Amino acid sequence: MGAMSVRNQSSEPSKDGGSSQALDAAGNHRAGFACFVGRPNAGKSTLTNALVGQKVAITANQPQTTRHTVRGIVHRPDAQLILVDTPGLHKPRTLLGERLNDIVRTTWAEVDVIGFCLPANEKLGPGDRFIAKELASIKKTPKIAIVTKTDLVDSKTLAEQLIAIDQLGRELGFEWAEIVPVSAVGDSQVGLLADLIVPLLPEGPALYPEGDLTDEPEQVMIAELIREAALEGVRDELPHSIAVVVEEMLPREDRPADKPLLDIHAFVYIERPSQKGIVIGPKGKRLKDVGIKSRKQIEALLGTPVFLDLHVKVAKDWQRDPRQLRKLGF
């Protein structure tokens, strides 16, 4: 393939991932793992959510929000695609940063396809080259370049970005299996992306039951929803200083069967006492808003009414302390 292969199509495949034939030509079902990599805030989590069709990965407008490997599962008649969402790879400054990078590299070595997310609205920078160089060292895994956020640029800017990405691969001595422009927000070419990943997966039966959308334990997903809501108003002040642990989830006793209530007790951990006021807000208003917002999302996730009890605690410099990192699930 001498020329650059860019996938663009105007007739969007159907919502379910869009394959018109149920199985491939030989009648085989495929199942496997893909992961999205890219600089922090390159649109990886938003893309995972768009493909799965339900919110499974935390998305926020500032980098470094995904800490757990969140798997989203795309069920199609012809295939099952399991998406592994890794933290953004970056030059580490703390012990937490080093652990996150280790998670990324381990994940890359274990998946069937790697999708490298590059925003259409930002020129390729040192961070992208850093990741591309790492990718070049992983020889066997097919790599797809996914140009995200195409709704934010005109066609000329997009064309320039596609050419730059193609050249980046050549410079580093590898060829992209595909280069696909998408907009997860505008739902453009998301189905096509799934169509292009599926043939790269190994043949085999489904690995998860039909109804599953993620294999994250519910408590982890709930903690992520609370953390996302807690970050909402304070992203500039404390982007990395918030961790959430769900201490317990118990059905409320003495409730009639048709009116269940789930009690959830969670702690929002910050690094310094001075940050407590920021998270709680004047007269507790911000924490109350966090509770209301995350409770709605938790109820939607679990399909049951919830009573959410939130407390803010200081865990001094937890990002640099191995013992605290373990306690907080890292």
Side-chain angles (χ1 to χ4, degrees):
M1 184 175 80
M4 171 172 69
S5 157
V6 175
R7 297 304 189 113
N8 231 326
Q9 74 176 44
S10 51
S11 56
E12 177 67 3
S14 63
K15 278 280 192 198
D16 61 358
S19 190
S20 50
Q21 76 276 19
L23 300 170
D24 68 17
N28 297 319
H29 183 276
R30 291 177 181 273
F33 294 83
C35 75
F36 294 144
V37 305
R39 275 184 296 122
N41 212 18
K44 303 180 294 288
S45 296
T46 309
L47 190 57
T48 299
N49 293 336
L51 276 162
V52 177
Q54 184 162 338
K55 188 164 194 170
V56 291
I58 176 174
T59 53
N61 286 334
Q62 88 288 338
Q64 283 312 101
T65 46
T66 309
R67 291 222 183 100
H68 296 279
T69 300
V70 178
R71 291 177 174 83
I73 303 166
V74 182
H75 299 274
R76 300 169 32 132
D78 59 333
Q80 188 176 72
L81 168 62
I82 298 123
L83 299 165
V84 188
D85 194 21
T86 55
L89 191 76
H90 57 100
K91 297 204 165 109
R93 284 192 295 272
T94 62
L95 183 61
L96 173 65
E98 280 169 34
R99 290 215 181 156
L100 293 177
N101 281 357
D102 290 343
I103 293 169
V104 175
R105 291 196 188 90
T106 311
T107 304
W108 291 5
E110 292 169 353
V111 296
D112 302 297
V113 184
I114 299 171
F116 184 13
C117 294
L118 297 134
N121 63 331
E122 293 172 33
K123 282 201 166 21
L124 299 187
D128 298 313
R129 288 177 192 285
F130 174 68
I131 294 169
K133 226 178 232 155
E134 295 270 338
L135 284 180
S137 67
I138 297 168
K139 301 286 182 216
K140 290 193 174 135
T141 317
K143 295 168 265 294
I144 293 182
I146 304 166
V147 187
T148 58
K149 310 186 184 187
T150 57
D151 52 302
L152 300 179
V153 298
D154 58 27
S155 53
K156 181 173 174 285
T157 310
L158 178 58
E160 286 166 2
Q161 186 75 324
L162 294 170
I163 292 164
I165 290 166
D166 182 51
Q167 281 171 345
L168 178 63
R170 289 171 198 274
E171 274 167 37
L172 295 170
F174 70 88
E175 194 161 10
W176 302 108
E178 304 280 358
I179 299 176
V180 196
V182 301
S183 165
V185 175
D187 196 25
S188 166
Q189 303 225 129
V190 173
L192 172 67
L193 176 62
D195 287 345
L196 295 174
I197 294 174
V198 164
L200 301 172
L201 302 177
E203 290 173 10
L207 302 167
Y208 288 88
E210 179 70 39
D212 287 8
L213 291 171
T214 173
D215 74 350
E216 275 285 35
E218 280 175 346
Q219 272 175 257
V220 173
M221 291 184 73
I222 288 165
E224 288 285 81
L225 288 171
I226 295 168
R227 188 164 165 266
E228 183 177 4
L231 280 169
E232 193 90 327
V234 299
R235 60 174 48 103
D236 299 331
E237 297 157 275
L238 333 166
H240 314 325
S241 304
I242 295 177
V244 176
V245 175
V246 174
E247 292 287 325
E248 60 176 17
M249 291 167 51
L250 296 167
R252 177 84 56 95
E253 290 176 14
D254 313 326
R255 298 281 292 194
D258 58 340
K259 286 193 177 158
L261 183 68
L262 188 65
D263 285 315
I264 297 177
H265 300 277
F267 288 101
V268 178
Y269 286 96
I270 43 171
E271 291 194 288
R272 289 186 291 285
S274 60
Q275 297 170 337
K276 210 167 177 174
I278 298 173
V279 175
I280 293 172
K283 295 187 178 165
K285 185 178 182 315
R286 182 168 279 147
L287 189 64
K288 191 178 173 195
D289 289 346
V290 169
I292 291 167
K293 186 168 190 236
S294 53
R295 194 189 78 238
K296 280 187 188 146
Q297 301 214 329
I298 294 164
E299 288 180 340
L301 175 75
L302 301 179
T304 181
V306 162
F307 173 80
L308 181 60
D309 178 39
L310 281 184
H311 293 276
V312 180
K313 269 190 170 180
V314 178
K316 203 163 167 17
D317 291 329
W318 63 263
Q319 293 195 50
R320 289 179 168 77
D321 177 346
R323 204 177 50 83
Q324 305 233 48
L325 281 170
R326 274 197 301 280
K327 185 185 167 204
L328 297 173
F330 302 114

